[in-house]
Amino acid sequence: MIETSICQIVFYVFALLAILFAICVVGSRNPVNSAMNMALSFGCVAAILFGLGAQFLGIVQIIVYAGAILVLFLFVVMMLDLKDEERNTGSMRSAAVGTTIAAILAGLITSISLSLPGATEISCPMAAICDNIGELAPGAEATQATPTPGYGGSLPALSPAAAAKAVQPDISDAEAAKATSMQDIRLLGQTLYTQYNIAFVILGFALLSGTVGAVALARKIRKD
Amino acid sequence: MIPLAHYLILSGILFSIGLAGVLIRKNIVVVFMCLEMMLSAANVALVAFSRAQGTQGIPVYDAQVLSLFITAIAAAEVAIGLALIVAMFRSRRSVESTALNTLKD
């Protein structure tokens, strides 16, 4: 029970920090401060993804968002020397209108999420930190995993044994039950390279065209 | 015990803050940062749903693949968008969104 409350505290602390840093991104006048706050906010989001058991996506979040994208932003901000551009941060009226629209949207999303069937009933702790990994037998979790219809509130517990079975279908139940870590990356890769193989290749082309397009756009246009 | 709803609310709040930034800020670089925050807020919701819809202890990896695609597209989008901002700064010496008024007058 103590572990559960620690998990809750970890989630809510990181959620609160992510929201606070996001507000700082919008509120700070200096774009460099905004970029730094954005990196911190993405770090907190990555921690929440880790807690959801999506380790690979958490790592990708840190590497891509807090690493690559932050560096690009800082590079552009410093290259353009935006210090004296930040004189009028916008009128009070537009700020009020924007805040109102965003608050209405947040309220809508909150009320919709709370009215999902079973949204606030059962739940699971932050999996990666404190699930009792390895306690479930391979057959036992099937009953536990699907009690709620539709988008219910329960996040079913992860089962490393079932994951091991999915990765290697020919291993025995006893061996699968010994698995202690969730084979997250392997399962993600299995989905990515089988079901979504063509989409993945097209994504590669999109990245390539993005790179070429960025170089073409930022090139100095010669007058002659 | 954290219900799914709380993850969705967190995602919604982050998305709304991003939307507020897009609407309020005049500096296009900061507007772009807020767009990135909106994309990453969508990632949180996707991963939470992937956990919630999972059966037999395995999350639905389709949602996580989609989230990975979003991340990759966001990276490409940042590269192109910042190149556009650099081009805009070259031609107008400003990155304020109010400077883009050629069609207005």
Side-chain angles (χ1 to χ4, degrees):
Chain A
M1 210 53 214
I2 290 170
E3 283 152 280
T4 312
S5 63
I6 286 175
C7 297
Q8 271 179 306
I9 292 167
V10 168
F11 169 73
Y12 290 115
V13 164
F14 275 118
L16 205 67
L17 282 177
I19 292 169
L20 282 180
F21 287 132
I23 291 173
C24 288
V25 172
V26 180
S28 64
R29 289 176 169 271
N30 192 339
V32 178
N33 284 350
S34 284
M36 290 303 179
N37 281 317
M38 186 188 69
L40 290 173
S41 173
F42 284 155
C44 297
V45 170
I48 286 161
L49 292 186
F50 279 127
L52 274 166
Q55 285 95 350
F56 181 66
L57 285 177
I59 292 167
V60 163
Q61 177 94 9
I62 291 177
I63 292 176
V64 174
Y65 278 108
I69 289 181
L70 173 80
V71 169
L72 271 178
F73 270 116
L74 282 182
F75 193 71
V76 167
V77 168
M78 295 190 174
M79 187 170 80
L80 299 187
D81 191 22
L82 300 177
K83 270 285 163 49
D84 48 347
E85 298 294 326
E86 197 62 34
R87 268 172 269 109
N88 44 350
T89 326
S91 64
M92 285 308 283
R93 205 170 61 105
S94 77
V97 170
T99 314
T100 314
I101 292 174
I104 290 171
L105 181 70
L108 272 176
I109 292 173
T110 305
S111 75
I112 289 172
S113 339
L114 285 177
S115 64
L116 285 174
T120 48
E121 290 160 16
I122 338 154
S123 54
C124 99
M126 290 184 72
I129 299 169
C130 55
D131 259 3
N132 284 331
I133 278 170
E135 261 191 13
L136 296 169
E141 66 273 355
T143 50
Q144 196 208 11
T146 50
T148 44
Y151 294 116
S154 76
L155 299 188
L158 295 176
S159 149
K165 271 295 240 197
V167 172
Q168 296 168 281
D170 50 335
I171 65 169
S172 67
D173 284 0
E175 269 183 77
K178 269 190 246 162
T180 49
S181 63
M182 199 60 203
Q183 308 210 20
D184 180 57
I185 299 178
R186 212 180 257 203
L187 282 166
L188 185 62
Q190 231 173 30
T191 318
L192 188 61
Y193 286 110
T194 53
Q195 239 178 309
Y196 295 97
N197 200 7
I198 295 172
F200 188 60
V201 173
I202 294 171
L203 180 73
F205 279 115
L207 281 175
L208 178 66
S209 61
T211 318
V212 174
V215 172
L217 280 171
R219 190 177 44 135
K220 221 179 201 115
I221 297 158
R222 286 168 59 187
K223 289 286 187 298
D224 48 55
Chain B
M1 298 302 214
I2 306 148
L4 170 66
H6 290 191
Y7 287 100
L8 298 184
I9 292 170
L10 168 69
S11 155
I13 290 176
L14 284 177
F15 190 90
S16 311
I17 294 171
L19 179 69
V22 170
L23 292 175
I24 293 170
R25 294 302 299 256
K26 295 271 189 294
N27 191 329
I28 286 190
V29 179
V30 181
V31 166
F32 215 58
M33 288 178 198
C34 293
L35 276 176
E36 293 308 309
M37 288 204 308
M38 288 162 82
L39 284 173
S40 100
N43 274 351
V44 175
L46 272 174
V47 175
F49 273 127
S50 119
R51 262 306 285 290
Q53 289 290 291
T55 48
Q56 299 177 351
I58 304 176
V60 179
Y61 276 99
D62 303 53
Q64 299 206 9
V65 167
L66 184 55
S67 169
L68 192 66
F69 283 1
I70 291 177
T71 311
I73 291 299
E77 180 218 330
V78 164
I80 292 189
L82 288 177
L84 281 173
I85 291 174
V86 169
M88 174 192 167
F89 187 78
R90 279 225 184 93
S91 67
R92 293 176 191 270
R93 313 305 304 168
S94 161
V95 290
E96 309 274 308
S97 57
T98 46
L100 296 170
N101 53 2
T102 314
L103 285 179
K104 201 167 132 195
D105 32 60

